[in-house]
Amino acid sequence: FPVTIHMAKRSIQEQADITAEARELVSILEDYAPTFINGGSLIGALRNGKLVPHDDDIDLAIYIGDQPSTIAAAIAFKNLVAKIEENISVRIKRISNGQFHIFKKGAKFSVDCFICWTTHDKLYLHWGIAGTIESSHAKASSVTRLNDIEFPTFFMPKRVVAALYGHDWVYPNPDFHFIQTKSALSRWQILWSQSNPLATLLSIDSMKYITEDGTHFDIEKFIEKTLQKITHIENHTTPSKIEVEINFG
């Protein structure tokens, strides 16, 4: 996979090539789900239309629609990534249940893709927005320009960036770090797992956390209180029971 190098160390031509390849990948991904420029790349586009010097790649968000919970979102994301992997023109490296790297075969640059979904009219974007803004930002879209190339992005993108990075996002900050609440960290922990992605859930033995129709996911409350790490989840392609190994610390 391509080597990570900050944009400031890349030539103007390399930055142009990265942007052009990213736009080609967006066109491919849009065949599977709405795809938006995201994160530091969106900040650069909104500030001055250029890549952020201390960033090292281009960030995208893939919107997987309305989901009843984070677990359901992880399942939908896993299924979507499996479909994208069938495309022979690209290669994918799965990072977690909410993120993957994608690049065209033979390309020098990869793009960072993050899961994005909506629940109860709120937007969730791994791993910086946990229901703090309205779902309308993903259910509609706008366009912005990065290195003179037009990219799709969220509706009212400045509000999305402010929710991600704070209202002072207009000022460059190479030392920025996300500050998460305890509940948000619990939610993202499900997506951080690098084990086999979460499978379709219907019931868990002796745990009445999920209703028969699979629409009620109270298991997240259980996870927040007791789950340290999901070490294994048996992968199923059809609704069935699952086996879960849990480490308690």
Side-chain angles (χ1 to χ4, degrees):
F1 276 78
V3 176
T4 296
I5 302 174
H6 284 175
M7 296 299 175
K9 296 183 179 180
R10 294 188 183 276
S11 67
I12 298 299
Q13 185 58 54
E14 280 185 309
Q15 293 185 39
D17 292 343
I18 289 172
T19 310
E21 287 190 8
R23 188 61 185 89
E24 291 181 25
L25 289 169
V26 168
S27 296
I28 292 172
L29 292 170
E30 285 181 316
D31 288 338
Y32 301 91
T35 304
F36 308 126
I37 194 171
N38 174 43
S41 303
L42 180 54
I43 280 185
L46 295 177
R47 279 181 184 157
N48 58 9
K50 303 296 181 183
L51 295 166
V52 175
H54 53 268
D55 207 351
D56 53 34
D57 59 12
I58 287 182
D59 302 314
L60 301 177
I62 298 181
Y63 177 56
I64 57 171
D66 288 315
Q67 303 295 331
S69 73
T70 305
I71 292 176
I75 295 166
F77 192 68
K78 183 265 297 188
N79 293 334
L80 176 65
V81 174
K83 291 180 180 178
I84 299 171
E85 285 177 323
E86 295 174 359
N87 190 318
I88 62 173
S89 66
V90 298
R91 288 186 61 194
I92 285 179
K93 179 181 180 181
R94 298 189 189 215
I95 305 301
S96 69
N97 291 322
Q99 178 186 4
F100 65 88
H101 292 165
I102 183 172
F103 68 99
K104 294 183 66 177
K105 289 186 176 179
K108 299 178 180 178
F109 317 110
S110 65
V111 170
D112 212 356
C113 301
F114 296 89
I115 184 175
C116 172
W117 76 97
T118 49
T119 299
H120 303 311
D121 295 321
K122 296 296 182 180
L123 176 67
Y124 293 82
L125 172 60
H126 183 45
W127 63 280
I129 298 178
T132 54
I133 57 176
E134 296 78 18
S135 62
S136 58
H137 294 287
K139 292 187 174 182
S141 64
S142 61
V143 295
T144 188
R145 299 187 71 83
L146 185 63
N147 283 348
D148 295 324
I149 296 177
E150 193 172 88
F151 281 83
T153 191
F154 300 96
F155 175 64
M156 298 177 66
K158 290 183 179 180
R159 285 199 63 196
V160 176
V161 169
L164 275 169
Y165 298 100
H167 292 286
D168 58 350
W169 63 268
V170 293
Y171 305 106
N173 180 9
D175 298 319
F176 174 84
H177 291 90
F178 284 105
I179 299 175
Q180 298 285 352
T181 64
K182 183 179 179 181
S183 60
L185 286 172
S186 174
R187 182 182 303 278
W188 303 138
Q189 184 179 13
I190 297 170
L191 302 179
W192 284 335
S193 173
Q194 294 189 43
S195 61
N196 208 10
L198 291 168
T200 303
L201 302 179
L202 185 62
S203 64
I204 297 179
D205 287 341
S206 73
M207 298 182 188
K208 304 302 182 183
Y209 293 107
I210 302 178
T211 58
E212 191 65 21
D213 63 0
T215 60
H216 186 62
F217 286 83
D218 284 343
I219 191 173
E220 290 188 24
K221 296 179 181 178
F222 167 74
I223 290 173
E224 183 174 357
K225 294 179 179 179
T226 62
L227 185 56
Q228 290 291 323
K229 182 181 179 182
I230 298 176
T231 57
H232 170 75
I233 295 184
E234 183 180 352
N235 188 25
H236 295 275
T237 56
T238 57
S240 61
K241 293 182 180 180
I242 66 171
E243 295 178 359
V244 181
E245 293 177 7
I246 300 174
N247 284 343
F248 293 90

